[in-house]
Amino acid sequence: KNQVEQSPQSLIILEGKNCTLQCNYTVSPFSNLRWYKQDTGRGPVSLTIMTFSENTKSNGRYTATLDADTKQSSLHITASQLSDSASYICVVSVTDSWGKLQFGAGTQVVVTP
Amino acid sequence: NAGVTQTPKFQVLKTGQSMTLQCAQDMNHNSMYWYRQDPGMGLRLIYYSASEGTTDKGEVPNGYNVSRLNKREFSLRLESAAPSQTSVYFCASSETHNQPQHFGDGTRLSIL
């Protein structure tokens, strides 16, 4: 069973609207949580990285939140643009000597005009 | 500044053939990684190199070998390709294991 679950699997939103993606994890011990954006045919690109002591971090129109007590994170996209169409991947870093990462399967976002 | 460069971008092999996937980074990063990405699944770590001169197995190392040629280059070798190794392979690098990883654009490998 994947220790990082993302929902929804996919969503379609109108350009200019907001959306929120969810990530639940069971990884323990936990070091940090990351969100990546992966465009079709490209490698993932880092959006945010949060330690367990941070509960929000922004990168432009992307805002990530973290609740380490409930082991939940969300990624909010504000005023979506066509270029936001991509897969968004939640990644949890396990606390150990080499920083093993557990990847979620991603949420596929399609922004339509 | 190219970041992480992977070659080739596409490859088709027959079962039993061998090949090496190449990866190079120009960011002077210490750590490098090889992942595979399969439909509906998260990326899975095959091998990693925490620093030049060291390599270790990840989550799914069977059927693969790696070489950290120098600080810049980290190659992945399939000795006898199997259809189950059909996947998209990503190389990544990071300054240290706790820093964000920078990914290449992948090698799409099909094994018939």
Side-chain angles (χ1 to χ4, degrees):
Chain A
K1 186 179 187 299
N2 197 348
Q3 296 182 52
V4 180
E5 298 285 349
Q6 293 188 242
S7 61
Q9 280 190 326
S10 62
L11 75 150
I12 300 172
I13 59 173
L14 289 174
E15 187 178 12
K17 298 296 187 182
N18 304 333
C19 69
T20 300
L21 316 180
Q22 301 292 340
C23 174
N24 295 336
Y25 62 93
T26 58
V27 174
S28 181
F30 153 80
S31 176
N32 58 63
L33 187 143
R34 314 168 187 206
W35 283 93
Y36 280 83
K37 178 187 179 188
Q38 185 176 20
D39 292 318
T40 300
R42 305 297 299 274
V45 174
S46 179
L47 291 176
T48 63
I49 179 169
M50 291 182 290
T51 65
F52 65 88
S53 62
E54 297 177 289
N55 54 27
T56 187
K57 182 161 281 190
S58 292
N59 179 355
R61 294 179 296 100
Y62 301 103
T63 300
T65 65
L66 173 63
D67 186 334
D69 292 331
T70 61
K71 296 188 176 181
Q72 295 180 326
S73 178
S74 66
L75 181 69
H76 186 76
I77 304 175
T78 302
S80 61
Q81 299 177 358
L82 297 178
S83 59
D84 292 330
S85 294
S87 178
Y88 292 84
I89 303 172
C90 175
V91 186
V92 179
S93 176
V94 180
T95 303
D96 64 17
S97 61
W98 61 273
K100 176 182 177 181
L101 300 181
Q102 289 282 357
F103 287 77
T107 292
Q108 185 68 44
V109 174
V110 175
V111 181
T112 63
Chain B
N1 190 344
V4 178
T5 302
Q6 293 185 236
T7 56
K9 294 188 186 306
F10 303 92
Q11 185 71 49
V12 179
L13 293 177
K14 294 181 179 178
T15 297
Q17 288 185 316
S18 62
M19 81 160 294
T20 300
L21 281 61
Q22 306 287 351
C23 174
Q25 52 94 5
D26 62 3
M27 295 171 282
N28 202 35
H29 284 168
N30 291 305
S31 302
M32 297 186 74
Y33 315 82
W34 275 105
Y35 293 93
R36 60 178 289 172
Q37 186 176 39
D38 299 297
M41 299 180 69
L43 276 80
R44 292 181 292 169
L45 183 68
I46 304 171
Y47 270 93
Y48 69 99
S49 172
S51 60
E52 185 179 357
T54 69
T55 61
D56 284 287
K57 296 179 180 179
E59 184 182 353
V60 288
N62 291 345
Y64 306 96
N65 284 301
V66 291
S67 296
R68 183 75 183 265
L69 305 171
N70 48 55
K71 192 171 186 179
R72 289 187 64 248
E73 298 172 287
F74 189 37
S75 63
L76 178 72
R77 182 162 178 84
L78 286 71
E79 290 291 352
S80 178
S84 61
Q85 293 177 306
T86 293
S87 188
V88 182
Y89 290 86
F90 287 98
C91 176
S93 70
S94 62
E95 190 171 341
T96 65
H97 69 268
N98 261 337
Q99 296 299 312
Q101 293 181 12
H102 298 256
F103 286 81
D105 282 336
T107 293
R108 283 142 189 85
L109 181 62
S110 292
I111 299 162
L112 308 177

